[in-house]
Amino acid sequence: LERITIIGLGLIGGSLGLALKQAKLSNIEIVGHDKEPTASSKARKRGAIDKTEWSILRSVDKASMVIIATPVLTIKEVFKQIAEVLPPGAIVTDTGSTKTQVMEWAEELLPPSVSFIGGHPMAGKESSGIDAASAEIFQGCTYCLIPSANAAPKAVQTVVGLADTVGAKPFFVDPVEHDSLVAAVSHLPIILSSSLVAATTASPGWREMSRLAATGFRDITRLASGDPIMNRDICLTNRDGLVRWIDEYIVELKRYRALVAEGGQELEKEFIRVWEARAKWLNQAKIPREAEGAPVVEIPKASEQMGNLLFGEKLARRGEEIMKNIEKREQDKP
Amino acid sequence: LERITIIGLGLIGGSLGLALKQAKLSNIEIVGHDKEPTASSKARKRGAIDKTEWSILRSVDKASMVIIATPVLTIKEVFKQIAEVLPPGAIVTDTGSTKTQVMEWAEELLPPSVSFIGGHPMAGKESSGIDAASAEIFQGCTYCLIPSANAAPKAVQTVVGLADTVGAKPFFVDPVEHDSLVAAVSHLPIILSSSLVAATTASPGWREMSRLAATGFRDITRLASGDPIMNRDICLTNRDGLVRWIDEYIVELKRYRALVAEGGQELEKEFIRVWEARAKWLNQAKIPREAEGAPVVEIPKASEQMGNLLFGEKLARRGEEIMKNIEKREQDKP
């Protein structure tokens, strides 16, 4: 029986558990830990984990893979707590929304005997917490993977298998690049949603406004309902990238302000332009994308060595294909 | 057979037709006109209208009620075109997203023999056009109503019946107040969504970013997929209110920028605050709200006179209740 431990049983941790259970992998036991006992017991009742372990130290005992799905700043604390008791050879991964600091903490705090592969499934929902968890949220989503320098090839392959098993598309990316990209498409939106809620609800007219606010307002403010601690940690660990994007955005907003104030032809052209740009994105986002991007660690060339400990023979073969694609892409590079 | 004419068979016009047909009103015939013949024929095929009329002049022939569901600037043109052929006593309403200019155009262009009641159902969808139309989009939504000074009480009552029939909550509001409120909760969001799409898709990193953009980005940019002409018209007819709100928003965004840059405790408090404010709004928005707000015209006190031409006996009684509520609210005012 191979043990997978999930630390942090919120939306993402709980959903990973549900998606893994749904895959009906043989010989896998999922142990769950959360500092909130109610989250743990709900996760077990919902079938996201096989058993709960109230001690974080004991939860990683004999674990082949440890998935840390807590807010970003908590990941550092978890590293400190479990570092000494992690079984040698264990695979450690996380689901944090920022990656540069997580990779630094892993290098600083985790023993060299374990393989750390940073992870970030680009999946979310309006509600947070175990109650909102669902096996489906990873279907077709991009799953960023960042192997640490000393991660064993088999360990990288196993985390690719994890992403694949839950229905996501593995995507190798550099941590600094990751944080800069998500600052624009993920963290800036959190700030825009939240500041819109702040600006409107603090307005003297809010009581009347709130009656006219409809589905458009609901959708644009959705991210303001994200877990506040998670959002805080995202801002604190991606501060420079985020501030830079807020500044860029204000420039853009002022350009729009001028277009509205002028009221000329350019405004219509602008709305057509963004309509088209978004339609193009939505269209492309539907295309199945397999492990894209460049690996930041040397990926083993001998794909026959890719036996997959946790995710079985079928996935091992699937893994071989992915690795071949990556190799091919590397060779094709100019 | 009473005739209702819908001019403009896009998302809103088409959806109103579908919702009216779904109500299975007896003795009602719905005539549809759209400058695009394909929209008209699709609307008829989808059962949103009983018949199409390619001539806008003939489409309002013998109409008891005319619903104009075009982009805002087109409403003015439609007024000009149909003014001379509108049957005396006809009820005219629109669904435009801004109301101050529409009310001015109505006063200037429509004959005094018709009753104009400005309307704005606070309903929308990601996609526009007749293909996206659905009878369900008005369920529980607020339907702003603004009777013109010379609107007949029965005409006001009939448009209340229209809102009620499609499942919406009639809400009387002053046109200037309406435009100021929707500037914040409806039109500013269009600008935020659109400028976010503009800022990100124009970025050199967009190709990579687009792969990481997920459901959060999809939701916050939804309004950038609104009809470009509709969005342009909204901006042009609510210019001052919108510019003022963009300015207020930039102030708020700069406050958030400072909170992120400082990285102190205040950021967490802020995220908790907006989380709570949005939860409260979502919670309140679910409460069924019946004709609220203050009527801008004198509402007839004799509710027994409220026979309802188009929407039948049951709705006439329902209309009496609504009017009683409005009277009561008026009396309760300090």
Side-chain angles (χ1 to χ4, degrees):
Chain A
L1 219 57
E2 300 284 348
R3 176 172 292 180
I4 298 177
T5 300
I6 304 177
I7 295 173
L9 297 163
L11 172 66
I12 299 296
S15 296
L16 280 174
L18 287 170
L20 287 173
K21 296 294 285 181
Q22 200 178 60
K24 297 197 192 306
L25 305 163
S26 54
N27 288 319
I28 297 282
E29 175 193 53
I30 304 180
V31 173
H33 168 84
D34 196 288
K35 68 179 184 350
E36 300 289 343
T38 48
S40 300
S41 78
K42 273 184 185 174
R44 199 173 44 75
K45 275 179 200 143
R46 293 205 52 194
I49 55 176
D50 294 305
K51 60 183 199 184
T52 63
E53 176 51 65
W54 67 267
S55 154
I56 192 171
L57 296 183
R58 260 190 279 159
S59 77
V60 302
D61 195 32
K62 300 196 185 71
S64 301
M65 179 188 267
V66 176
I67 303 171
I68 305 170
T70 66
V72 178
L73 289 179
T74 308
I75 295 171
K76 187 178 184 181
E77 300 312 309
V78 172
F79 282 167
K80 283 183 192 163
Q81 287 179 280
I82 64 173
E84 293 203 5
V85 295
L86 279 170
I91 300 162
V92 181
T93 186
D94 77 310
T95 63
S97 301
T98 61
K99 296 266 72 81
T100 311
Q101 289 204 244
V102 171
M103 298 310 292
E104 286 168 10
W105 297 332
E107 189 167 349
E108 177 194 341
L109 298 167
L110 295 181
S113 62
V114 305
S115 288
F116 181 74
I117 294 105
H120 182 202
M122 306 304 300
K125 254 178 116 172
E126 173 153 346
S127 311
S128 45
I130 181 69
D131 292 327
S134 150
E136 309 306 323
I137 65 169
F138 307 108
Q139 282 302 326
C141 88
T142 297
Y143 199 127
C144 295
L145 292 178
I146 305 175
S148 61
N150 71 328
K154 270 199 182 178
V156 177
Q157 190 48 34
T158 303
V159 181
V160 166
L162 166 70
D164 215 62
T165 300
V166 301
K169 310 284 176 197
F171 180 86
F172 289 95
V173 62
D174 167 84
V176 174
E177 190 186 6
H178 169 277
D179 287 1
S180 139
L181 296 174
V182 291
V185 293
S186 184
H187 306 163
L188 174 62
I190 293 170
I191 295 296
L192 300 187
S193 272
S194 301
S195 56
L196 178 60
V197 171
T200 48
T201 58
S203 156
W206 171 243
R207 199 175 146 272
E208 296 297 307
M209 262 175 223
S210 68
R211 292 179 175 150
L212 302 198
T215 51
F217 189 79
R218 181 196 64 199
D219 290 348
I220 200 168
T221 58
R222 170 170 88 78
L223 294 167
S225 291
D227 183 273
I229 304 301
M230 226 183 85
N231 285 347
R232 178 202 65 185
D233 287 5
I234 285 170
C235 293
L236 296 182
T237 56
N238 201 9
R239 211 185 295 187
D240 296 345
L242 186 48
V243 165
R244 212 187 56 237
W245 265 102
I246 295 174
D247 289 340
E248 287 209 27
Y249 182 75
I250 289 175
V251 171
E252 191 66 26
L253 197 49
K254 285 183 175 165
R255 188 171 71 84
Y256 266 74
R257 183 198 187 281
L259 290 176
V260 173
E262 286 159 17
Q265 269 302 42
E266 202 43 48
L267 189 62
E268 180 181 338
K269 283 189 200 151
E270 185 65 34
F271 282 128
I272 292 172
R273 209 159 19 228
V274 296
W275 190 97
E276 287 175 344
R278 186 169 185 270
K280 202 173 152 193
W281 169 67
L282 283 175
N283 197 38
Q284 285 178 339
K286 273 177 212 153
I287 299 166
R289 296 188 306 273
E290 304 196 325
E292 294 182 291
V296 290
V297 292
E298 174 135 311
I299 292 292
K301 301 297 176 194
S303 44
E304 62 273 17
Q305 289 177 2
M306 294 289 140
N308 194 310
L309 179 67
L310 296 175
F311 299 104
E313 185 55 29
K314 187 187 143 222
L315 279 164
R317 284 200 302 276
R318 173 87 180 74
E320 283 174 34
E321 286 166 37
I322 292 175
M323 285 304 175
K324 275 183 199 147
N325 284 343
I326 293 174
E327 284 169 32
K328 191 169 174 301
R329 196 165 283 118
E330 284 297 283
Q331 286 159 9
D332 291 349
K333 276 194 178 172
Chain B
L1 217 60
E2 299 283 350
R3 177 173 292 181
I4 298 178
T5 300
I6 304 177
I7 295 173
L9 298 163
L11 172 66
I12 298 297
S15 297
L16 280 174
L18 288 170
L20 287 172
K21 296 293 285 180
Q22 200 178 60
K24 296 195 194 305
L25 304 163
S26 53
N27 289 320
I28 297 281
E29 175 194 53
I30 305 180
V31 173
H33 169 83
D34 196 287
K35 67 176 182 353
E36 299 290 343
T38 48
S40 301
S41 78
K42 274 184 183 174
R44 198 173 45 75
K45 276 180 200 144
R46 293 203 54 193
I49 54 177
D50 294 305
K51 60 183 198 185
T52 62
E53 176 50 67
W54 67 268
S55 154
I56 190 169
L57 295 184
R58 260 189 280 159
S59 77
V60 301
D61 195 31
K62 301 195 184 71
S64 301
M65 180 187 266
V66 176
I67 304 171
I68 305 169
T70 66
V72 179
L73 289 179
T74 307
I75 295 171
K76 187 178 184 183
E77 300 312 310
V78 172
F79 283 168
K80 283 183 193 164
Q81 287 179 279
I82 64 173
E84 293 203 5
V85 294
L86 279 170
I91 301 163
V92 181
T93 185
D94 77 309
T95 63
S97 301
T98 62
K99 295 266 73 81
T100 310
Q101 289 203 244
V102 172
M103 298 310 292
E104 286 168 10
W105 298 331
E107 190 166 349
E108 177 194 340
L109 299 167
L110 295 182
S113 61
V114 306
S115 288
F116 182 73
I117 294 104
H120 181 203
M122 305 303 300
K125 254 180 117 172
E126 173 153 345
S127 310
S128 44
I130 181 68
D131 292 327
S134 150
E136 310 305 323
I137 66 169
F138 307 109
Q139 283 302 327
C141 89
T142 296
Y143 199 127
C144 296
L145 292 179
I146 306 174
S148 61
N150 71 327
K154 270 199 181 178
V156 178
Q157 190 48 37
T158 304
V159 181
V160 166
L162 166 71
D164 216 62
T165 300
V166 301
K169 310 285 177 195
F171 181 86
F172 288 96
V173 62
D174 168 84
V176 174
E177 190 186 7
H178 169 276
D179 287 0
S180 138
L181 296 174
V182 292
V185 294
S186 185
H187 305 164
L188 174 63
I190 293 169
I191 296 294
L192 300 186
S193 272
S194 302
S195 56
L196 178 60
V197 171
T200 48
T201 58
S203 156
W206 171 245
R207 203 177 144 268
E208 296 297 308
M209 265 176 219
S210 68
R211 292 178 174 151
L212 303 197
T215 53
F217 188 79
R218 181 196 62 200
D219 290 349
I220 200 167
T221 58
R222 170 169 88 78
L223 294 168
S225 291
D227 182 273
I229 303 302
M230 226 183 84
N231 285 346
R232 178 202 64 185
D233 287 4
I234 285 170
C235 293
L236 296 183
T237 56
N238 200 9
R239 211 184 295 187
D240 295 346
L242 185 49
V243 164
R244 214 187 55 237
W245 266 103
I246 295 173
D247 289 341
E248 287 209 27
Y249 182 75
I250 289 175
V251 171
E252 191 66 27
L253 197 50
K254 284 183 175 166
R255 189 172 72 83
Y256 265 75
R257 184 198 186 280
L259 290 175
V260 173
E262 286 158 15
Q265 269 302 46
E266 202 43 48
L267 188 62
E268 180 181 338
K269 283 188 199 152
E270 185 65 33
F271 282 128
I272 291 172
R273 205 154 27 222
V274 296
W275 191 97
E276 287 174 345
R278 186 168 185 272
K280 203 173 152 193
W281 170 66
L282 283 175
N283 197 38
Q284 285 177 340
K286 273 177 214 152
I287 298 166
R289 297 186 305 272
E290 302 194 325
E292 294 181 293
V296 289
V297 291
E298 176 135 307
I299 291 294
K301 300 298 176 195
S303 43
E304 63 273 16
Q305 291 177 2
M306 292 292 138
N308 194 309
L309 178 68
L310 297 175
F311 299 105
E313 185 53 31
K314 189 187 141 220
L315 278 166
R317 284 200 302 277
R318 174 87 180 76
E320 284 175 33
E321 287 167 36
I322 291 175
M323 284 305 174
K324 276 183 198 148
N325 284 342
I326 292 174
E327 284 169 30
K328 192 169 172 300
R329 196 163 284 120
E330 284 299 282
Q331 287 159 11
D332 291 350
K333 276 196 177 171

